[in-house]
Amino acid sequence: MTVPFGRIGYARAGDKGANANLGVWTPHEAAWPWLAAYLTADRLRELLGCADSVAIERYELPNLRGISFVLRDYFPPSGSAHLGLDQIGKSLGEFLRARHVEAPVELVHASDRMGTS
């Protein structure tokens, strides 16, 4: 079933200089195996439309049912390079949650019943 990623998982993001960090998690135990297998660094690159020059580091946090990503050199030097403000990175998580993904129908329905979106 094609659905916005946000129907299954949550995301929180930020930036420091040219790097972005993105935390993705699901509150549903049944969704964790799908999330861990589906959201690879390559899949994230595809969903976000990242340039090949962006290095993506992926760290699984299975006890939290989450994945932490660091996107090195995601932002060009600009206003986001100011270390005192986080004016751009916050929207990255919501952008991911809006992207459409293929997910198992039963997982989507279970997430809907539990109120992820």
Side-chain angles (χ1 to χ4, degrees):
M1 178 176 199
T2 303
V3 296
F5 182 82
R7 286 198 43 198
I8 299 168
Y10 294 112
R12 178 89 169 131
D15 67 78
K16 278 297 180 216
N19 301 327
N21 62 321
L22 175 63
V24 180
W25 71 97
T26 180
H28 313 299
E29 191 170 331
W32 169 242
W34 175 85
L35 178 65
Y38 182 82
L39 199 54
T40 63
D42 287 337
R43 180 72 49 94
L44 183 69
R45 179 182 306 284
E46 177 186 318
L47 289 170
L48 298 180
C50 291
D52 290 339
S53 61
V54 175
I56 300 177
E57 300 169 13
R58 180 183 186 271
Y59 304 95
E60 279 192 21
L61 306 165
N63 290 341
L64 301 174
R65 292 188 294 267
I67 305 168
S68 178
F69 293 95
V70 177
L71 293 82
R72 303 255 180 232
D73 296 321
Y74 181 75
F75 297 109
S78 66
S80 69
H82 187 288
L83 295 178
L85 298 174
D86 188 0
Q87 58 196 15
I88 296 176
K90 297 287 187 220
S91 62
L92 187 61
E94 289 308 306
F95 180 71
L96 174 63
R97 292 188 78 227
R99 307 299 297 167
H100 285 87
V101 300
E102 292 294 320
V105 173
E106 61 276 4
L107 182 62
V108 173
H109 292 310
S111 293
D112 286 347
R113 283 191 301 275
M114 296 178 158
T116 300
S117 53

